Amino acid sequence: FRAEDVLVRQGGDEFMAYLVNATRDGAITRAKKLGALMLADDRLQFDDVRVTVSIGISHGRFATKRGGLQIVETLEQLADTAMYAAKEESRQASSITIAPDAVSSDTVLGNL
């Protein structure tokens, strides 16, 4: 991750990474790399447990701090929903699901 990115443990085995000023394609590329690194890490391999990685991605953009909290909350909800969809997609393999790219300051501020 980059210095400007923010990593947060959501609880249990769930984490969020806020990739500041990342493009949607950049986030997808990083998610794929993260998943591959985790699966290749011998410390995460156990004899009786198959480790999988489920990643949900949401992407949004805003140029103002007004409505920023609502945008972040919406992005978190979309990423969480996408992550659960990735888990359901395949419980035996790793997967990435991407939420629709429809969150912007215009979308959220219109709902305030």
Side-chain angles (χ1 to χ4, degrees), residues 95-107:
S95 60
I96 298 172
T97 301
I98 303 155
D101 192 14
V103 179
S104 69
S105 56
D106 294 337
T107 304

Side-chain angles (χ1 to χ4, degrees), residues 36-93:
L37 288 170
M38 290 181 69
L39 292 176
D41 191 331
D42 291 338
R43 296 171 296 176
L44 299 176
Q45 303 306 318
F46 307 97
D47 292 334
D48 57 342
V49 177
R50 179 181 168 96
V51 174
T52 62
V53 179
S54 301
I55 299 175
I57 297 175
S58 63
H59 182 262
R61 54 197 164 276
F62 53 99
T64 177
K65 291 183 180 181
R66 182 172 176 250
L69 179 59
Q70 290 85 0
I71 293 170
V72 170
E73 289 174 346
T74 300
L75 290 169
E76 288 174 353
Q77 291 169 356
L78 289 169
D80 195 53
T81 300
M83 186 266 307
Y84 279 106
K87 281 186 182 215
E88 288 299 318
E89 183 178 302
S90 177
R91 294 196 175 271
Q92 299 301 314

